[in-house]
Amino acid sequence: MTDTQTAAPTADPKLHEDGSLERLTIDTIRTLSMDAVQKANSGHPGTPMALAPVGYTIWSQFLRYDPAHADWPNRDRFVLSVGHASMLLYSLIHLAGIEEIGADGEKSGKEAVSLEDIRQFRQLSSKTPGHPEYRHTTGVETTTGPLGAGCSNSVGMAIAERWLAARYNKDGFTLFDHDVYTLCGDGDMMEGVASEAASLAGHLKLSNLCWLYDSNHISIEGGTDLAFDEDVGLRFEAYGWNVIHIDDANDTKALAAAIETFKATSDKPTFIVVHSVIGYGSPKAGTEKAHGEPLGEENVRLTKQAYGWPEDKSFYVPEGVAAHFHDAIADRGAKLRDEWVKLTDTYRTEYPDLSAELDLMLKDELPEGWDADIPVFEADAKGIASRESGGKVLNAIAAKVPWLIGGSADLAPSTKTDIKGKPSFEPGNYGGQNFHFGVREHGMGGVVNGMTLSHLRSYGSTFLVFSDYMRAPIRLSAIMEIGAIWVFTHDSIGVGEDGPTHQPIEHLATLRAIPGLDTIRPGDANEVAAAYKAVMQDASTPAALILSRQALPTLDRTKYASADGVAKGGYVLADCDGTPDVILIATGSELSLVVDAHEKLIADGVKSRVVSLPSWHRYELQDQAYKDSVLPRSVKARVAVEMAGEIGWAKYVGLDGATITMSTFGASAPLAKLADKFGFTVDNVVKVAREVMETK
Amino acid sequence: MTDTQTAAPTADPKLHEDGSLERLTIDTIRTLSMDAVQKANSGHPGTPMALAPVGYTIWSQFLRYDPAHADWPNRDRFVLSVGHASMLLYSLIHLAGIEEIGADGEKSGKEAVSLEDIRQFRQLSSKTPGHPEYRHTTGVETTTGPLGAGCSNSVGMAIAERWLAARYNKDGFTLFDHDVYTLCGDGDMMEGVASEAASLAGHLKLSNLCWLYDSNHISIEGGTDLAFDEDVGLRFEAYGWNVIHIDDANDTKALAAAIETFKATSDKPTFIVVHSVIGYGSPKAGTEKAHGEPLGEENVRLTKQAYGWPEDKSFYVPEGVAAHFHDAIADRGAKLRDEWVKLTDTYRTEYPDLSAELDLMLKDELPEGWDADIPVFEADAKGIASRESGGKVLNAIAAKVPWLIGGSADLAPSTKTDIKGKPSFEPGNYGGQNFHFGVREHGMGGVVNGMTLSHLRSYGSTFLVFSDYMRAPIRLSAIMEIGAIWVFTHDSIGVGEDGPTHQPIEHLATLRAIPGLDTIRPGDANEVAAAYKAVMQDASTPAALILSRQALPTLDRTKYASADGVAKGGYVLADCDGTPDVILIATGSELSLVVDAHEKLIADGVKSRVVSLPSWHRYELQDQAYKDSVLPRSVKARVAVEMAGEIGWAKYVGLDGATITMSTFGASAPLAKLADKFGFTVDNVVKVAREVMETK
């Protein structure tokens, strides 16, 4: 029997009508979801209705979670990868009585999601946006909606638990042993990112990870048999997961037994295929009409009738339901957390160093002297590739910040992101600091986000051109405001012989375009050091470090300005006396090129200035006075030089300036030939500079 | 036995040294590859050395290909998804004696790849760039390098064959029956895009598709057991493929038997797991050192010694080898093509309409009157969403251009891309015009590219925000200069309640940044019609059509300029007398907003102009005189209004203009609330316009 050929799950709600608090709670979740979508006249009712028994069973019987302390580090994680089913999560959070934690990390004294919040579903500034948003609503572990994202995040969370346990647990001190539950759907299963993450999770034998796959045979265009009739369970066996089938999502006993099996499994992750009926109990049940639109008032009434529910009551929580659900969770969770707090108190005495380290990590802070060993690079005309200097700086920091961990999508020898002398994170060595994500960029992105959400300072690296594969998780790191670090090397046509498929052109612009992402392209080794320093100090801003394949001269900082200016995003690197005739602006590998052009211009009596602009994001955060001091409005003769597409540079050069940038894809050839072909030469920079001076 | 637990393939080349032409040809491929990489001092020798027997066997014994006519429409396709192993393909093309077809579609009289071209491997303007480039080198069926791309393209090619066969084959006229062979590696297998494409291919039962998976147990970071130990064969069984294992890539008899099995299989695609030794025969064999760098001169010598090859000869093709290989292919292929040409001549008489249609399609031309039924939309203040008008226009064209086919990543009811009344492309109905790609955006992108490479005019659609998932194939469509059509709806915060995860902000900029991609965001229904018209007439430029979820007023074209201006990318839509005081620039849903603001300004005596700028790509192709007529340099008071990020707009508004754009992510709320919150109101546009007029 494949996943798509199974006995139909129960379609008749009456079969389950036993008047129990369990049933009442499940139907409360269902009706709150229907009502909220109906009132908003927008949303997805069908999946919350189908999965209410699943959410109920996990939370009431298994989830180790203290509603009064949603930030307890050893809580089990519940990830709603089917983010469109947000009302399921909001209903669970509401009924569990989770207490809100404010932006300051302190309890606000409010409910995380009140009944009024549910009434305000999908309204401006409500706690209940269309898809669950991390930071915005307490109890939401990660922002989901883009399919596959939650799945891949959950692998990162499970990895984080393994790592925390390996590093901090000691005999008699099991500080970390939490599980990660993920609800996923057909859409997740079709997305490649979830395949990548599942393959990695199987390889890593993450037995603390349980995915519950809602197999409802319905997609937006119709039955899943239109496009998706593979045997998903068999696929997960191939990945090395333990696979369990549940014939009916309403069978809470079978669900509980499956989760018991998960908890008893110690050598692989668990995949539970749950057959369900979308829009369960409604006239639209089992059809795509129940997916992404309100049921309609009459159908809501008929559905409530089918549930044996008061037909005319909206947002109705029967007496005893909230207490029943809250108590089931809190009795278990509060006790476990209390024990944990006591344990950590003793741990503080027995393992003061580890305890202090853990405290810092959980507060997203850095230890004293964390940056003491970051190298200062001597001036050197031959120089060093920024991927190389990046590796040195990363290693210097990781030696002091052991929770700075990450890896590459099978390119570490090229991206230089290995933490030297440290073991790999593998089954049997979950304390390892080097991660092998495999050739799975998108999965890596989701996993790094998941690790970061558990307070690890995590990084993922690949070639810049392959950032295309992982745009979605990069964007989500920016939406969530988490300090994931994306290390992208081989940042231009400097890639050379590998040719246009491997030479990024548009990628700098596409990363700069993501709101809140700090895209930094340092121009020499000392700018690399300054970039890492700046990035590490901000744990709520994700950063993309853009590094070169080829060697970059290390500039003489006794002659030019300090690289500390990187923290401001842009700074005057080299200057003239008085108001400049022309300003040369560059980033990354083109910085030394414009410095050489600048020296030539200065020697020729031209008043030239060089502005290094490694981070537009940081530069735009500066006040106008600073920006005017770097790029005075009166100086309109400006030339920007970057081995990348032109888009965005007009903001800094204006209508009167010029750019030396790439207007086409690159080509396969040694870099020197390409630099000639595309105009990245000192002579050309000087020529264009003189042209813009004449025009102005 | 899983794929990663097998008897080691033969490591000793002597075992195969039989002096046969087969062996000589295989070793010629190997040594050419080694020599080219060594001379270039850059490249990937190991995989060509490992897979030479596989390439040899497919080409010499099976590939239906006429080296003298590389553009024969019914040729078998050979896709090198492991694009880094480009020297394998160049060696095969060279030894097969494929004749070059020039940019004009005519034979140039040259070899597609000469021995001199191989000596110029990875050099500027050579025929042998680092990764194989479609259009650039005859015999290259698709541009590969980004892993997984070739795999997904090959699914599209197999789909195209099924569709062509269903539409054009008649009793006694089997015009189309070609197969598609794809060489893929561990990297492909780890990439989610290949998983998506494989799942779709299994669902579609594409029995004309054969993937040969090079399982060499080596990745860049080391053994695949670092990150990848799933049972790949079992996974493909789960997808519904026929899976065959070959223990040794050198066993050409076993390879041939497996391919015979593929050819005899009529109900599913075939997956052949080929166990190989990377860098076969070299001192670096079986290690990651053989992957991505030259072997070194001494190792090249030792390897040749191991092969029993003249040690000191470089680029050596023993006598008889080229003839043997060429004849094996040409004897079969030329005969088949000759028969095909005769068959199509008769077909032309018996089925003149279908024949004429096919001829047009293969020439990438459009039938007479193809645009005759494109609707003209009457002025309408309420209007129509551009996804809706897009659906109408698409249907009007598809009725005349039946090979305009495509579909959606499970969002057709929302993207409105169904061809109405036409069946779905499904097993049993391969003539269907509506494609259900499933929730697999990345896979869809690769498949649409593959279909387009077979001359179908194909489209793929999803929400704009999910274009993030498919950046790599969009980029490849631009690199290859093929007319894939990407339809992206729900194009802004106009998405409303679904919130920030579903509201594109940076996506317009990121698409505009791709060189050669025509990103068009039409402002009303008639601009949608004009956009489709423009796109259809250019089969060598991929286009991204950016369409709204919400209704857009249909502008009164008797009052304002014709939408024909869309073909130029930008045009003056509404004007004043004389030189404008201010220019309002907008695209898409903001066009009617600035028209309303314009009317208010005009009524207040301000000389205002509205410029509609739906395609920056097309606008930049216009001459300076035209551009100056639309945006006169003297008018510096300019306001650009777009519900998207600001990046790029400075090029049109300069340092003195202003933008009303998005500087943050969106929010979950009804659109009207969001428009207020983010300043997309007539009053705000008027206010900002007055501000920029004052500053100037």
Side-chain angles (χ1 to χ4, degrees):
Chain A
M1 189 174 74
T2 72
D3 304 330
T4 49
Q5 298 160 334
T6 178
T10 318
D12 180 4
K14 299 281 185 199
L15 289 176
H16 295 280
E17 193 182 323
D18 57 9
S20 67
L21 271 170
E22 171 177 307
R23 180 59 205 268
L24 275 180
T25 309
I26 289 169
D27 286 346
T28 302
I29 295 168
R30 288 173 165 147
T31 52
L32 285 177
S33 301
M34 289 193 299
D35 288 342
V37 171
Q38 193 60 42
K39 180 161 188 288
N41 195 26
S42 166
H44 301 77
T47 299
M49 293 160 72
L51 296 187
V54 180
Y56 172 83
T57 303
I58 296 171
W59 283 52
S60 65
Q61 292 190 49
F62 296 97
L63 203 72
R64 290 172 296 182
Y65 197 100
D66 182 351
H69 298 278
D71 56 355
W72 173 35
N74 195 36
R75 71 191 180 279
D76 285 348
R77 264 60 167 185
F78 177 83
V79 174
L80 188 78
S81 194
V82 284
H84 56 276
S86 56
M87 269 310 306
L88 172 62
L89 182 53
Y90 299 145
S91 301
L92 292 167
I93 292 173
H94 171 66
L95 294 177
I98 293 180
E99 298 177 29
E100 186 177 70
I101 296 170
D104 57 358
E106 302 295 324
K107 287 205 219 180
S108 69
K110 294 181 194 162
E111 295 174 77
V113 173
S114 69
L115 203 56
E116 180 55 27
D117 291 325
I118 288 179
R119 288 175 186 273
Q120 293 301 313
F121 182 53
R122 291 183 158 236
Q123 303 310 303
L124 195 60
S125 308
S126 79
K127 286 285 162 200
T128 49
H131 292 80
E133 296 178 25
Y134 174 75
R135 282 193 197 280
H136 187 83
T137 311
T138 303
V140 172
E141 300 286 6
T142 178
T143 297
T144 53
L147 290 171
C151 291
S152 53
N153 295 161
S154 72
V155 173
M157 293 174 185
I159 285 172
E161 188 281 330
R162 294 282 104 142
W163 192 88
L164 292 166
R167 185 163 183 92
Y168 298 108
N169 288 1
K170 296 290 169 191
D171 262 2
F173 294 95
T174 303
L175 295 195
F176 293 100
D177 63 351
H178 55 273
D179 292 322
V180 182
Y181 298 93
T182 310
L183 292 200
C184 32
D186 289 306
D188 290 303
M189 290 304 106
M190 286 190 256
E191 293 285 8
V193 57
S195 301
E196 293 176 11
S199 174
L200 182 63
H203 165 74
L204 292 174
K205 303 187 192 303
L206 299 173
S207 62
N208 55 341
L209 179 65
C210 179
W211 286 8
L212 299 105
Y213 159 41
D214 173 32
S215 176
N216 64 19
H217 309 276
I218 289 298
S219 67
I220 288 174
E221 294 182 358
T224 49
D225 55 356
L226 281 174
F228 185 59
D229 51 13
E230 60 171 70
D231 186 337
V232 181
L234 185 62
R235 171 154 66 94
F236 274 72
E237 284 176 27
Y239 293 140
W241 291 51
N242 187 32
V243 178
I244 303 171
H245 291 261
I246 303 283
D247 287 341
D248 185 348
N250 291 301
D251 186 347
T252 52
K253 284 197 180 61
L255 281 166
I259 297 174
E260 292 289 3
T261 302
F262 154 63
K263 292 183 74 77
T265 302
S266 61
D267 59 345
K268 49 177 68 172
T270 295
F271 186 69
I272 306 178
V273 183
V274 183
H275 294 278
S276 81
V277 175
I278 193 167
Y280 176 77
S282 83
K284 294 181 176 177
T287 75
E288 64 272 21
K289 294 279 173 204
H291 171 76
E293 56 195 69
L295 296 174
E297 287 193 9
E298 177 62 9
N299 284 326
V300 168
R301 206 181 54 72
L302 290 170
T303 311
K304 287 178 180 170
Q305 200 178 63
Y307 293 159
W309 204 253
E311 288 174 35
D312 298 323
K313 285 198 179 177
S314 288
F315 301 100
Y316 174 55
V317 181
E319 207 180 313
V321 158
H324 158 72
F325 193 61
H326 169 269
D327 293 352
I329 300 159
D331 287 354
R332 184 176 55 248
K335 184 167 159 287
L336 286 167
R337 180 184 168 274
D338 286 349
E339 288 166 7
W340 188 89
V341 170
K342 281 186 204 121
L343 198 67
T344 49
D345 283 345
T346 322
Y347 186 79
R348 201 156 276 128
T349 320
E350 301 237 347
Y351 299 96
D353 292 349
L354 280 176
S355 174
E357 178 185 307
L358 181 58
D359 285 346
L360 278 175
M361 189 193 75
L362 293 174
K363 283 187 288 184
D364 296 326
E365 291 177 5
L366 295 166
E368 284 285 313
W370 66 274
D371 58 351
D373 292 344
I374 293 179
V376 173
F377 296 87
E378 296 299 312
D380 177 5
K382 183 160 167 281
I384 176 174
S386 50
R387 60 174 168 147
E388 292 276 5
S389 54
K392 290 178 196 292
V393 173
L394 177 69
N395 269 271
I397 301 172
K400 300 290 179 73
V401 186
W403 61 97
L404 175 62
I405 58 179
S408 163
D410 194 35
L411 285 172
S414 293
T415 61
K416 310 291 179 191
T417 43
D418 262 348
I419 309 292
K420 295 209 173 108
K422 295 292 177 183
S424 296
F425 180 93
E426 289 290 342
N429 197 351
Y430 286 136
Q433 278 160 267
N434 288 306
F435 285 72
H436 303 281
F437 294 114
V439 189
R440 307 181 181 102
E441 297 82 6
H442 197 167
M444 173 175 74
V447 167
V448 165
N449 282 346
M451 292 166 69
T452 308
L453 286 162
S454 292
H455 295 279
L456 302 177
R457 199 67 200 268
S458 303
Y459 60 89
S461 80
T462 183
F463 290 170
L464 177 56
V465 82
F466 300 133
S467 64
D468 272 351
Y469 281 61
M470 49 184 292
R471 294 277 305 171
I474 298 171
R475 178 175 217 254
L476 282 164
S477 71
I479 289 183
M480 293 194 280
E481 298 177 10
I482 57 173
I485 301 173
W486 312 112
V487 181
F488 296 128
T489 67
H490 295 60
D491 70 347
S492 73
I493 55 169
V495 165
E497 292 89 341
D498 271 345
T501 56
H502 284 55
Q503 292 167 352
I505 300 294
E506 68 274 30
H507 301 77
L508 268 169
T510 65
L511 293 172
R512 286 169 178 155
I514 297 177
L517 177 71
D518 185 12
T519 303
I520 312 191
R521 185 171 186 244
D524 76 347
N526 288 305
E527 284 202 359
V528 169
Y532 262 108
K533 268 189 221 177
V535 164
M536 286 301 294
Q537 291 177 76
D538 184 354
S540 61
T541 300
L545 282 153
I546 312 295
L547 305 174
S548 74
R549 174 193 185 215
Q550 72 275 25
L552 311 182
T554 306
L555 299 169
D556 181 353
R557 298 285 169 169
T558 63
K559 181 171 178 188
Y560 303 117
S562 155
D564 292 349
V566 168
K568 293 190 171 173
Y571 65 103
V572 178
L573 174 74
D575 213 357
C576 52
D577 291 329
T579 305
D581 300 323
V582 66
I583 303 179
L584 308 177
I585 316 172
T587 78
S589 50
E590 290 66 71
L591 192 60
S592 66
L593 174 67
V594 302
V595 166
D596 289 348
H598 163 85
E599 293 296 351
K600 206 159 177 179
L601 288 165
I602 290 278
D604 290 351
V606 175
K607 290 201 282 179
S608 159
R609 167 181 287 189
V610 172
V611 168
S612 174
L613 199 59
S615 167
W616 296 10
H617 171 80
R618 288 177 172 270
Y619 184 72
E620 291 303 328
L621 293 174
Q622 306 310 311
D623 61 29
Q624 195 58 48
Y626 179 76
K627 289 197 268 187
D628 287 345
S629 77
V630 174
L631 295 170
R633 285 174 166 258
S634 61
V635 184
K636 304 221 165 177
R638 302 175 182 187
V639 182
V641 185
E642 192 168 63
M643 281 188 191
E646 181 201 38
I647 191 166
W649 274 111
K651 180 157 187 171
Y652 301 109
V653 301
L655 296 177
D656 305 304
T659 60
I660 300 174
T661 47
M662 295 289 298
S663 60
T664 63
F665 291 107
S668 171
L671 171 58
K673 299 277 182 191
L674 296 176
D676 268 352
K677 176 181 165 76
F678 293 110
F680 296 96
T681 60
V682 172
D683 286 349
N684 192 44
V685 175
V686 168
K687 176 171 152 280
V688 174
R690 289 194 174 278
E691 282 165 9
V692 295
M693 284 163 57
E694 274 166 36
T695 323
K696 280 316 301 167
Chain B
M1 186 173 76
T2 72
D3 304 329
T4 49
Q5 298 160 337
T6 180
T10 318
D12 180 3
K14 298 280 186 201
L15 287 176
H16 296 279
E17 194 182 324
D18 56 10
S20 68
L21 272 170
E22 170 176 307
R23 180 58 204 268
L24 275 181
T25 309
I26 289 170
D27 286 346
T28 302
I29 296 168
R30 287 173 167 147
T31 52
L32 285 178
S33 302
M34 288 192 300
D35 287 342
V37 171
Q38 192 61 41
K39 179 162 188 286
N41 196 25
S42 166
H44 302 77
T47 298
M49 293 161 72
L51 296 187
V54 180
Y56 172 81
T57 303
I58 296 172
W59 282 51
S60 65
Q61 292 191 48
F62 296 95
L63 203 72
R64 290 172 296 181
Y65 197 100
D66 182 351
H69 298 278
D71 55 356
W72 174 35
N74 196 33
R75 70 191 180 280
D76 285 346
R77 266 58 170 186
F78 177 83
V79 174
L80 188 79
S81 194
V82 283
H84 55 275
S86 55
M87 267 312 304
L88 172 62
L89 183 53
Y90 299 145
S91 301
L92 292 168
I93 292 174
H94 171 64
L95 295 178
I98 292 181
E99 298 177 29
E100 186 177 69
I101 296 170
D104 57 359
E106 302 296 325
K107 287 204 216 181
S108 70
K110 295 183 194 161
E111 294 175 77
V113 172
S114 67
L115 203 56
E116 180 55 26
D117 290 326
I118 288 179
R119 287 174 187 275
Q120 292 302 313
F121 182 53
R122 293 184 157 233
Q123 302 311 302
L124 195 59
S125 309
S126 79
K127 286 285 162 200
T128 49
H131 292 81
E133 296 179 24
Y134 175 75
R135 283 193 197 281
H136 188 82
T137 310
T138 302
V140 172
E141 300 285 4
T142 178
T143 297
T144 52
L147 290 171
C151 293
S152 54
N153 294 163
S154 72
V155 173
M157 292 173 185
I159 285 172
E161 188 282 328
R162 293 284 103 142
W163 191 87
L164 292 166
R167 185 163 183 93
Y168 298 108
N169 288 1
K170 296 288 169 193
D171 262 2
F173 294 95
T174 302
L175 297 195
F176 293 100
D177 63 351
H178 54 273
D179 292 321
V180 182
Y181 297 93
T182 311
L183 293 200
C184 32
D186 289 306
D188 290 303
M189 290 303 107
M190 286 190 256
E191 292 286 8
V193 57
S195 302
E196 293 176 12
S199 174
L200 182 63
H203 165 74
L204 292 173
K205 304 187 193 300
L206 299 173
S207 61
N208 55 341
L209 179 65
C210 179
W211 286 8
L212 299 107
Y213 158 43
D214 173 32
S215 177
N216 64 19
H217 310 272
I218 288 299
S219 67
I220 289 174
E221 293 182 359
T224 49
D225 56 355
L226 281 174
F228 185 58
D229 51 12
E230 60 170 72
D231 186 337
V232 181
L234 184 63
R235 171 152 67 92
F236 274 72
E237 284 176 27
Y239 293 141
W241 291 51
N242 187 32
V243 177
I244 303 171
H245 292 261
I246 303 282
D247 287 342
D248 184 348
N250 291 302
D251 186 348
T252 52
K253 285 199 179 62
L255 281 165
I259 297 174
E260 292 290 3
T261 303
F262 154 62
K263 292 185 74 77
T265 302
S266 62
D267 60 346
K268 49 178 67 172
T270 295
F271 186 70
I272 305 178
V273 184
V274 183
H275 295 278
S276 81
V277 175
I278 193 167
Y280 176 78
S282 83
K284 292 180 175 178
T287 75
E288 63 274 20
K289 293 281 174 204
H291 171 76
E293 58 195 69
L295 295 174
E297 288 192 11
E298 176 62 9
N299 285 324
V300 168
R301 205 181 55 73
L302 290 171
T303 310
K304 287 178 181 170
Q305 199 178 66
Y307 293 159
W309 204 253
E311 287 174 38
D312 297 321
K313 284 199 178 175
S314 288
F315 300 100
Y316 174 54
V317 181
E319 205 179 315
V321 159
H324 158 72
F325 193 60
H326 168 270
D327 293 351
I329 300 160
D331 288 351
R332 183 176 55 248
K335 182 165 159 287
L336 286 167
R337 181 185 165 273
D338 287 347
E339 288 166 8
W340 189 88
V341 169
K342 280 184 204 123
L343 197 68
T344 50
D345 283 344
T346 323
Y347 186 80
R348 202 158 274 127
T349 320
E350 301 239 345
Y351 299 96
D353 292 349
L354 279 177
S355 174
E357 178 184 308
L358 182 58
D359 284 346
L360 278 175
M361 189 193 74
L362 292 175
K363 283 188 289 183
D364 295 328
E365 290 178 5
L366 295 166
E368 284 285 316
W370 67 274
D371 59 350
D373 292 344
I374 293 179
V376 173
F377 297 87
E378 297 298 312
D380 177 5
K382 186 163 166 278
I384 176 174
S386 50
R387 60 172 168 151
E388 292 275 5
S389 54
K392 289 177 197 292
V393 174
L394 177 69
N395 269 271
I397 301 171
K400 302 289 178 75
V401 186
W403 62 95
L404 175 62
I405 57 180
S408 162
D410 194 35
L411 284 172
S414 293
T415 62
K416 310 291 179 190
T417 43
D418 262 348
I419 310 292
K420 295 209 173 109
K422 296 293 178 184
S424 295
F425 180 93
E426 289 290 341
N429 197 351
Y430 286 136
Q433 279 160 267
N434 288 307
F435 285 72
H436 302 282
F437 295 114
V439 189
R440 308 181 181 102
E441 298 82 7
H442 197 168
M444 173 174 75
V447 168
V448 165
N449 282 346
M451 292 166 68
T452 307
L453 286 162
S454 292
H455 294 277
L456 302 178
R457 199 68 200 268
S458 304
Y459 60 88
S461 80
T462 183
F463 291 169
L464 177 56
V465 82
F466 300 134
S467 64
D468 272 350
Y469 281 63
M470 50 185 290
R471 294 278 304 172
I474 298 171
R475 178 173 216 256
L476 282 165
S477 70
I479 289 183
M480 292 194 280
E481 298 177 11
I482 57 173
I485 301 173
W486 312 111
V487 181
F488 296 128
T489 67
H490 295 61
D491 69 346
S492 73
I493 56 169
V495 165
E497 292 89 341
D498 271 346
T501 55
H502 284 54
Q503 293 167 351
I505 300 295
E506 68 275 28
H507 301 76
L508 268 169
T510 65
L511 293 172
R512 288 169 178 155
I514 297 177
L517 177 72
D518 185 12
T519 303
I520 313 191
R521 186 172 185 242
D524 76 349
N526 289 306
E527 284 202 357
V528 168
Y532 262 108
K533 268 188 221 175
V535 165
M536 286 300 295
Q537 291 178 76
D538 185 353
S540 60
T541 299
L545 282 154
I546 312 295
L547 306 174
S548 74
R549 175 195 183 213
Q550 73 276 23
L552 312 183
T554 307
L555 298 170
D556 181 353
R557 298 285 170 171
T558 63
K559 181 169 178 189
Y560 303 117
S562 155
D564 293 349
V566 168
K568 292 190 169 171
Y571 65 104
V572 178
L573 174 74
D575 213 356
C576 52
D577 292 330
T579 304
D581 300 323
V582 66
I583 302 178
L584 308 178
I585 315 171
T587 78
S589 51
E590 289 66 70
L591 191 60
S592 66
L593 174 67
V594 301
V595 166
D596 289 348
H598 163 83
E599 293 297 351
K600 207 160 178 177
L601 288 165
I602 291 279
D604 290 351
V606 175
K607 291 202 280 181
S608 159
R609 166 181 288 188
V610 172
V611 168
S612 174
L613 198 59
S615 167
W616 295 10
H617 172 80
R618 287 177 172 271
Y619 183 73
E620 292 303 328
L621 293 175
Q622 307 309 313
D623 61 28
Q624 194 58 47
Y626 179 76
K627 289 196 269 186
D628 287 344
S629 76
V630 175
L631 294 172
R633 285 173 167 260
S634 62
V635 184
K636 304 221 166 177
R638 304 176 181 186
V639 183
V641 185
E642 191 168 64
M643 282 189 193
E646 181 200 37
I647 190 165
W649 274 111
K651 179 158 189 174
Y652 302 108
V653 300
L655 296 176
D656 304 305
T659 60
I660 300 174
T661 47
M662 295 290 298
S663 60
T664 63
F665 291 107
S668 171
L671 171 57
K673 298 278 182 190
L674 296 176
D676 268 353
K677 176 181 165 75
F678 293 111
F680 296 97
T681 61
V682 172
D683 285 351
N684 192 44
V685 176
V686 168
K687 177 172 152 280
V688 174
R690 290 195 174 277
E691 282 166 9
V692 295
M693 285 163 58
E694 272 166 38
T695 323
K696 283 314 302 166

